[in-house]
Amino acid sequence: MSFLTPGFLWLFALAGPVVLLYFFRQKQQSRVVPVNFLWVQAIQDTRTAAVLRRFLKSLLLLLQLLFLALLVLSLGGATASLWARGSTRLVVAVLDRSASMGTADGPGGATRLEAAKEALRGAVDGLRDGDRMMLLGVDERAEVLVPFTGDRDRLRRAVDAAEVRDLGTDLTDAAVLIRSQGAAAAGREVEVLVLSDGAFPDPGGLEGVRVSYVPFGEAKDNAGITDLRVVRGATGDASLLVSAEAFGAAPLKRTLSLRLGGDGRVLDARSAEAPPGAQAVLFFPLDAVPPGPLEVRLEGEDAFPADDRAWLVHRPEPPRRYAVFGRRSRWLKDLSVFRPSLQGSPEPAADAAALAAAGPLDLLVCNGAVPDPMPHVRAAIFIGCVPPDGPVKAAGTVEFPPVIDWSRTHPVTRHCEFSDLLVVEALVLEGVPPDGVLVDSPRGPLLAFAETEDRQALYIPFELDRSNLPLRLAFPLLLPNALDHFFAARRPGDEEEVLRTGQAVERTLAPGESLRVTPPKGPRATVEAGADGRAVFRDTFRAGLYGLEGPKGPGWAAASLLRRAESAIAPEPRVEAGGVAHEAKPEAVKANVPLRDPLLLLATAILLIEWLLWTKKR
Amino acid sequence: MTPLLEPDFLRRLEKLEIAARRVRRGVRRGERVSRRRGSSVEFADHRPYGAGDDLRFLDWNVLVRLDRLMVKLFHDEEDLAVHLVVDGSASMEYGEPSKRVYGLRVAAAVGYVALAGQCRVRPAILRAPDRLESPGYLRGLGSAERLLGFLGGAPSGGANALRGGLRRLAAEVRPKGVVILVSDLMDRDGVDAALASFGRNPGDLYAIQVLDPFELDPALDGEFRLVDSEDGSRADVSATPEVVRAYRARLDAYLAAVDLSCRRRGIRRMLAPTSLPFEKLVLEVLRARGLLR
């Protein structure tokens, strides 16, 4: 038996006064009477009853003490252990602290994590001497909060300190830990208590492990923001795409607002409506929105507020420079018509020196010739030529190569038609990665895309004048697709606009420089750039805006939950672990049964019995 | 000291007299007519003169008319002996007023009536084991002060004296008269043995049993150690309603036994709870029961 509020146990000291009062009350009064022989005879007449009375007197005292004991035990929160069987146990308590465990659907607005912690405290209290428990905090990773121990205080402190993280749920790491601990248990069976709402895939690796799934939460409707991204059109105009989804049986009918991240001022608001289980996708134009942190809010309240807000840092596309090297082509016009941020001239540079003198470039178009040396550029388009330092090499030429097929899913060839492409002569390309073949022919790719760590390149292995490509509809689509692919997607070194919680914040600094990070909640942190100049902050487990201070000045990063699995807050009735379905087993964690009410009831009954006996005695 | 009897009450007592059922032979002439022929003025009969007869009683008319010497015989007027016996044991010292005071007042009232009727009154206090405290016989109202003084100064205390005291009294009651016993008649061994002392006594016996209301209807509740006032014995009693009921049953049985013993010996027993007003007892109850008239 253990006690939830052992502070009340000092009331047992009242037993002393009760006994004293009893005997004090029992003290006889001495009284002189004329003669007492009639009384003696009367007592003898009632001798049998007197024996009963004496017994009742003692019984009344016992009942009083029993009543006091029951009352004190009840006030002390006595609980009975249900684990008092078998040998000592090894228990791994897996406490889900993912975002969905922050759903406030418990009694009095308690979150699922609070309910799980309460249950876990009971399990800790129910540990017997010799039992050992390990506590794992699990979100998308697993953290050993307390290794195997029988120290209940330490376990309780760790349970108390557990907090919800705006992350998903993945028990893969936990399974690895459990498996390793099971191996270390030297033949003793490890019991796994999973305290969760079940929103996680089968972690695997738990075959043969005794898993008890203790679910928390109720099936409630929810609506949340599940996707957030900045999309830029072919002309460089930026919009914010927001997906809001209705989970459960209720339709979505709320307002999405776009606010400034600093003061929360509303910039735009739109109605988001969707039937149950469907998404509402809304676009917020960002052209008129000032750069900086923004917040998207799904107005209104529900049981799971973590997915009602999302953040981003609006970063307008910076000006980019391009240049043309090699032969002049009448088909190569000013690229700024495709992407206004591109600045440069379609006139080819005279030579490599002139190209180098033009300064750093973001895009180089090589038409028939490659400068030597090849400047460091982020993106390049090679037309009828191949750079000597790239992964793709030219191995001769081929005349009139027929088109076999082309990729319809690659971003560069999206919406393009190449069935009627005619090429007089083309370079035979080698070294093209399989997923980089955009248009294929029997002798090699007629259009290829290759990406290395420092450069993206589009290969057109034939002269434009010796094909009908410029005359096809695909040509005006191919170039803007390529430019979008080059510059719309985030590249290493770019500062991100939208992050999911758990993704790292990366900044490029000089080696040795540091970046100070102020999370939405919690202490500041400082990260130093490594030898490669990258400063990485990984503890983005809280959704919100992260303040950054570095050598380049202040900045922002934004992390949002954006996880459908977490927004679907209905608890799972069963979970799969190691390929085995485990039904919900709430009683598995009920190591202790609270005895407060039964004890109070028993104490009341004792009081009633005592009263009846006392009345009979009188 | 508070006088036992108030003057006004004494005047009312002077109108009463002892109503003895049988006239007893006294040692002095009294106001009572005896069946024994004596020298009173009430003529009874004639008998022939004998040598030595008092010539004052010679009936001269008979001598003149019949020439016969005849002596007139008269009813003798005897004085009545009244024995006032008050129990002096410790059990009488109980209650408010105490049974002792109540009993002494009864004895004083009866004694005063007797003195007023020219009876010989012998007050006595029973003392353990078999002692009688008594100033001796008193006669006439002139002795009333002595009677009241004796009774008023009589202390109580000591063990039960009924058996020994009554035996002693029975032996001393010569000639027979009226015996008035004032006591609670509470004896651990019963009163039959004590009353047996009067078994063959031809006199008038009255027993006035004085009891406190507590004895008749004890209002006890709780745990008590009851100490006997006479022998100091102790009894631990849980005074539950059941025990109190048993006590009442025992008391009723005891009183019934006392009553039977009294009847068997021709003793008139009267129960006098101290809650009964004393004047009412004397002026109504004792008259109704034939002790006074």
Side-chain angles (χ1 to χ4, degrees), chain A residues 421-446:
Chain A
L421 175 64
L422 293 175
V423 177
V424 176
E425 185 182 30
L427 296 172
V428 177
L429 297 182
E430 292 182 344
V432 178
D435 59 346
V437 178
L438 303 183
V439 178
D440 203 5
S441 75
R443 294 293 304 275
L446 295 180

Side-chain angles (χ1 to χ4, degrees), chain A residues 29 31 33-34 36 43 45 618, chain B residues 221 225 227 229 233 241 250:
Chain A
Q29 301 176 42
R31 180 164 182 167
V33 293
N36 63 9
I43 293 170
D45 291 344
R618 287 184 64 77
Chain B
D221 183 12
R225 170 162 290 176
V227 181
S229 61
S233 65
R250 279 288 178 176

Side-chain angles (χ1 to χ4, degrees), chain A residues 36-46, chain B residues 188 246 250 254:
Chain A
N36 63 9
F37 65 90
L38 290 177
W39 287 107
V40 173
Q41 292 170 356
I43 293 170
Q44 290 171 347
D45 291 344
T46 57
Chain B
R188 187 178 300 275
R250 279 288 178 176
Y254 182 82

Side-chain angles (χ1 to χ4, degrees), chain A residues 306-561:
Chain A
D307 62 356
D308 291 343
R309 302 171 75 186
W311 292 265
L312 73 152
V313 182
H314 176 39
R315 308 182 199 279
E317 186 177 345
R320 303 185 190 276
R321 294 188 65 250
Y322 79 96
V324 178
F325 186 79
R327 294 191 294 272
R328 181 189 303 273
S329 173
R330 54 180 172 165
W331 305 112
L332 291 178
K333 304 295 184 184
D334 185 3
L335 296 182
S336 63
V337 300
F338 298 120
R339 197 165 193 88
S341 61
L342 277 177
Q343 300 171 2
S345 168
E347 289 297 321
D351 51 28
L355 196 64
L361 295 171
D362 295 292
L363 173 65
L364 177 63
V365 180
C366 298
N367 187 19
V370 177
D372 186 20
M374 179 71 188
H376 177 77
V377 290
R378 174 176 168 170
I381 300 174
F382 299 102
I383 303 173
C385 60
V386 175
D389 59 344
V392 178
K393 306 295 182 186
T397 60
V398 59
E399 292 183 348
F400 298 104
V403 174
I404 299 176
D405 198 4
W406 67 94
S407 171
R408 293 162 180 80
T409 56
H410 197 279
V412 174
T413 54
R414 192 165 47 188
H415 309 306
C416 295
E417 169 72 41
F418 295 100
S419 60
D420 54 354
L421 175 64
L422 293 175
V423 177
V424 176
E425 185 182 30
L427 296 172
V428 177
L429 297 182
E430 292 182 344
V432 178
D435 59 346
V437 178
L438 303 183
V439 178
D440 203 5
S441 75
R443 294 293 304 275
L446 295 180
L447 200 62
F449 189 85
E451 182 171 1
T452 58
E453 188 172 344
D454 58 349
R455 187 166 68 200
Q456 294 174 298
L458 175 65
Y459 296 88
I460 305 175
F462 50 86
E463 293 180 18
L464 294 178
D465 290 335
R466 303 196 67 185
S467 74
N468 64 351
L469 179 61
L471 302 176
R472 312 311 324 154
L473 186 58
F475 189 65
L477 296 176
L478 181 67
L479 285 180
N481 277 352
L483 295 178
D484 279 350
H485 191 57
F486 287 152
F487 300 115
R490 178 175 174 269
R491 298 282 300 157
D494 282 351
E495 294 186 354
E496 77 296 317
E497 293 181 305
V498 177
L499 282 178
R500 291 172 77 198
T501 47
Q503 289 182 321
V505 176
E506 290 185 25
R507 291 296 181 266
T508 302
L509 307 175
E513 289 181 337
S514 61
L515 183 69
R516 293 188 69 191
V517 183
T518 305
K521 184 180 177 185
R524 285 184 173 184
T526 301
V527 290
E528 290 193 356
D532 58 354
R534 293 168 59 201
V536 182
F537 178 75
R538 301 185 187 280
D539 294 334
T540 56
F541 53 80
R542 295 191 186 284
L545 293 170
Y546 288 73
L548 307 175
E549 290 179 48
K552 299 177 182 174
W556 294 95
S560 305
L561 179 61

